[in-house]
Amino acid sequence: MTTKVPPLTYKVIAECSVTKARAGLMTLRHGEVNTPVFMPVGTQGTLKGLLPDQLIELNCQILLGNTYHLGIRPGIETLQKAGGLHNFMGWPRNILTDSGGFQMVSLLKLAEIDENGVNFCSPFDNSECMLTPEHSIQIQNTIGADIMMQLDDVVKTTTVGPRVEEAMHRTIRWLDRCITAHARDDDQSLFPIVQGALDANLRKQCAYALIQRKVRGYAVGGLSGGESKHEFWRTVNLCTDLLPKEKPRYLMGVGFAADLVVCVALGIDMFDCVFPTRTARFGCALVNTGQLNLKNKKYEDDMRPIDEECECSTCRRYTRSYLHHIATSQSVSCSLLSIHNVAYQLRLMRSMREAILRDQFPQFVCDFMAKHFEGETVPLWIREALQAVNVELPHDENDATVNVA
């Protein structure tokens, strides 16, 4: 009798001999995903400014959708009629959906939370919507996402006191309800989420509990919510120490380039963030030195592409000058800059993967930071985070040779 292949398999292909970085291959129902990977965010089944064909041209292997927003609009009945989100949006590759838990923080004024779930007031028509663990899974089963997130009880990262412990324990209880409600385990994989804010003991308790459940990967949630960068990296480092090496680790809501490089060094495999497309709408382009604000007058006669090393369609065809003159004033500028910014994020992840495969990742990190903070001091939190995984950044800006601690 033939055993059906699981909907998610993950294999570590190579590990950095110095840091905790690793390159992996995740195989899902809609194709392979090379890790480390950045997932562009298409909240309501569309990436702002990009068509699915353009994402395929960029070799995007997986994107993210939002359960809360998709559940409200277009709604579960429409998604059922369409045969799931892949068909509905014309996307043949992988999708990950978050559970709607983050909206407990982002839409806190519109939400009430208790043991049953979260009662939201719709931002569109003020109607009430009760999102329970069971309902979140029902929506995600209908969406047909390759990877689904459990509904978790999310508190603002800087919250202290009994509410943090309550949310952590409730997240574990809600995970068990999500597992019970999950009706498509042969096709979709459910990830639990490590919570506990900035309390190391609560993070440990949560991680140990989640590891006891039969799941195919894990997420680290509740960060990038106002905590200091020193608290941020220490929490990430703790979680990757606790989670199993043979399964993928997903850090939710992180997308700044320097953060991605540091967190790959700390052992994270998957990331998502709205940053690349959101900053494009403000006329900003991502490059290795940070951002180019193309609204700036100095670009009005600059006939170079955004990035001479970038092969995206925007950089092949358009100049900084052209983009300066249409930035924020023409809707097409959002599309052109979004194409480039997503291409930049994906290229950064591929470059890190290649460096890991060659076992040259520490040197890559050193070279990247020297370029990214050219003429500036590398932030102390980055130095300390990298020191924790045995990489000492050079202090002389002319010396880009990595020192292994």
Side-chain angles (χ1 to χ4, degrees):
M1 183 176 179
T2 304
T3 303
K4 190 171 184 180
V5 177
L8 184 156
T9 60
Y10 177 73
K11 181 180 180 181
V12 176
I13 305 297
E15 294 180 89
C16 175
S17 60
V18 176
T19 71
K20 294 194 286 183
R22 68 256 195 97
L25 178 64
M26 184 165 57
T27 304
L28 302 167
R29 287 288 185 253
H30 290 87
E32 295 180 342
V33 177
N34 293 316
T35 65
V37 64
F38 178 81
M39 301 177 286
V41 177
T43 300
Q44 286 189 286
T46 178
L47 218 68
K48 289 183 173 65
L50 280 86
L51 296 170
D53 287 351
Q54 292 171 314
L55 285 172
I56 290 172
E57 184 180 344
L58 296 175
N59 198 26
C60 174
Q61 297 172 317
I62 182 169
L63 56 77
L64 184 141
N66 182 279
T67 298
Y68 167 75
H69 289 288
L70 288 166
I72 291 178
R73 193 173 61 182
I76 193 168
E77 291 184 3
T78 299
L79 289 168
Q80 283 175 332
K81 291 177 182 177
L85 185 59
H86 289 88
N87 290 340
F88 190 61
M89 66 178 290
W91 174 246
R93 297 186 177 180
N94 298 295
I95 296 174
L96 180 148
T97 43
D98 63 10
S99 63
F102 175 71
Q103 277 64 44
M104 295 183 200
V105 173
S106 64
L107 299 176
L108 185 60
K109 293 180 181 178
L110 301 175
E112 296 179 359
I113 306 160
D114 60 26
E115 188 63 26
N116 189 39
V118 193
N119 194 26
F120 288 103
C121 181
S122 169
F124 304 113
D125 60 9
N126 292 321
S127 62
E128 290 192 356
C129 168
M130 187 66 182
L131 188 65
T132 64
E134 293 79 9
H135 188 215
S136 174
I137 294 300
Q138 181 190 18
I139 297 171
Q140 293 184 83
N141 280 159
T142 301
I143 288 171
D146 300 87
I147 299 175
M148 314 185 306
M149 306 310 298
Q150 74 154 111
L151 184 65
D152 53 340
D153 188 353
V154 183
V155 297
K156 189 173 174 61
T157 314
T158 52
T159 303
V160 295
R163 176 70 182 101
V164 180
E165 184 170 5
E166 174 192 50
M168 184 275 290
H169 286 296
R170 181 174 286 154
T171 292
I172 298 168
R173 293 193 296 271
W174 281 4
L175 170 61
D176 289 333
R177 289 169 59 184
C178 287
I179 291 172
T180 301
H182 185 15
R184 297 185 60 189
D185 188 56
D186 287 343
D187 296 311
Q188 299 172 271
S189 294
L190 175 64
F191 279 21
I193 303 172
V194 180
Q195 290 290 0
L198 302 175
D199 188 312
N201 287 329
L202 294 181
R203 288 278 179 177
K204 289 178 184 177
Q205 287 183 53
C206 192
Y208 290 148
L210 303 189
I211 291 168
Q212 306 308 312
R213 276 64 178 177
K214 186 179 179 181
V215 295
R216 301 185 184 99
Y218 302 89
V220 177
L223 292 174
S224 296
E227 76 280 1
S228 74
K229 287 292 190 179
H230 295 279
E231 294 167 317
F232 165 79
W233 82 257
R234 288 186 172 89
T235 302
V236 173
N237 195 40
L238 171 67
C239 291
T240 56
D241 279 344
L242 298 170
L243 294 172
K245 288 186 176 181
E246 70 275 10
K247 296 182 180 180
R249 307 158 178 163
Y250 163 34
L251 180 58
M252 306 178 76
V254 170
F256 293 157
D259 295 7
L260 295 173
V261 174
V262 169
C263 291
V264 166
L266 296 177
I268 293 292
D269 307 300
M270 303 166 63
F271 304 86
D272 81 280
C273 192
V274 298
F275 172 66
T277 49
R278 178 172 290 171
T279 199
R281 298 197 292 277
F282 293 96
C284 294
L286 303 180
V287 291
N288 278 338
T289 53
Q291 292 188 55
L292 302 181
N293 184 348
L294 292 170
K295 300 190 301 294
N296 195 307
K297 184 176 175 61
K298 69 180 181 180
Y299 297 115
E300 65 178 349
D301 294 319
D302 191 335
M303 297 303 164
R304 294 174 294 170
I306 295 170
D307 185 343
E308 291 175 345
E309 295 181 1
C310 181
E311 296 180 355
C312 78
S313 58
T314 299
C315 287
R316 290 198 310 266
R317 299 173 187 171
Y318 301 101
T319 64
R320 296 178 182 186
S321 174
Y322 176 75
L323 295 165
H324 163 80
H325 288 286
I326 66 169
T328 71
S329 65
Q330 301 291 330
S331 59
V332 71
S333 70
C334 168
S335 178
L336 294 176
L337 289 175
S338 292
I339 288 169
H340 168 77
N341 286 353
V342 170
Y344 173 82
Q345 299 284 95
L346 299 181
R347 182 159 54 98
L348 174 61
M349 305 312 288
R350 285 194 294 271
S351 297
M352 285 194 277
R353 177 183 171 83
E354 290 166 4
I356 296 166
L357 291 171
R358 295 193 306 269
D359 202 13
Q360 296 175 353
F361 183 67
Q363 186 64 56
F364 171 89
V365 172
C366 197
D367 293 342
F368 174 86
M369 294 301 174
K371 184 74 171 177
H372 199 68
F373 295 102
E374 191 172 10
E376 304 175 42
T377 301
V378 176
L380 180 60
W381 77 268
I382 291 179
R383 290 189 174 277
E384 291 180 345
L386 294 173
Q387 286 169 352
V389 286
N390 309 310
V391 174
E392 187 79 40
L393 292 179
H395 288 276
D396 184 346
E397 63 181 17
N398 296 316
D399 178 11
T401 302
V402 67
N403 296 309
V404 178

